Amino acid sequence: MILPSTDRLSAFLIDVERRAFRQAMFAVQNEDAALDLVQEAMLRLAERYAERPEEEWPMLFQRIMQNAIRDHYRRSKVRGFWVSLLSALTPARDEDEEVDPLDTFYVEASSAALQPPDIQVDRNRTRELIDAGLAKLPLRQRQAFLLRYVEELDVAATAAAMGCSEGSVKTHCSRACHALADWLREKGVEP
């Protein structure tokens, strides 16, 4: 049974949502901003490219996502400039803003949940260390690593998504892998 185009697009977006969120989190280090970026990318794909062939959607989505991340950094830079400029002109306020971030845990039914607790703890620790190591990477290395090894794009598709040469992708990936391996060794995990 062939699904109508909107159903196929919905299925594609559901499939890519979690990975895109993780990619955005690594890029911007802010949950709310990451959610906004993923939503923005999904809307752009649906509004502008829904009629394109289905096999083009992954590449288009990655390109849209990378552009949204770049735009986020540009806006942050401009916003930071104006905020610092205006804060110097306004008196300081004594408002205590209490921020109560809610941690959301997604529970997935998987065979990993059936592993013994000690193995689950080791895997979770390693995953947290990798996430922390990725967060320390420069933005372009992090993007290349995530596109190549999490999104499983080939070098050409990664280069197209990042707007750079294939050689740059290889360099960024190599540097990211070496930096992550060194990071894990420092933390007592042999890659």
Side-chain angles (χ1 to χ4, degrees), residues 2 9 47 54 60 80 88 90 109 120 125 127 138 148 152-154 173 179 184 186-187 189:
I2 296 177
L9 182 59
E47 289 172 349
E54 188 173 345
L60 287 168
T90 58
Q120 289 182 31
R125 179 180 176 268
R127 190 174 309 120
R148 286 283 291 129
E152 298 179 356
L153 297 180
D154 62 17
C173 285
L184 290 172
E186 287 174 16
K187 301 300 179 189
V189 176

Side-chain angles (χ1 to χ4, degrees), residues 77-90:
K77 185 176 180 180
V78 170
R79 188 179 308 119
F81 170 76
W82 285 107
V83 167
S84 64
L85 180 65
L86 294 175
S87 65
L89 300 174
T90 58

Side-chain angles (χ1 to χ4, degrees), residues 20-41 65 68-73 75-76 79:
F21 173 72
R22 186 173 173 162
Q23 179 182 357
M25 272 297 293
F26 283 127
V28 299
Q29 303 294 309
N30 180 297
E31 186 174 340
D32 292 332
L35 287 170
D36 288 344
L37 288 172
V38 171
Q39 184 178 25
E40 179 182 338
M65 192 71 196
I69 290 169
R70 272 192 220 87
D71 290 346
H72 169 80
Y73 276 107
R75 285 189 305 266
S76 295
R79 188 179 308 119

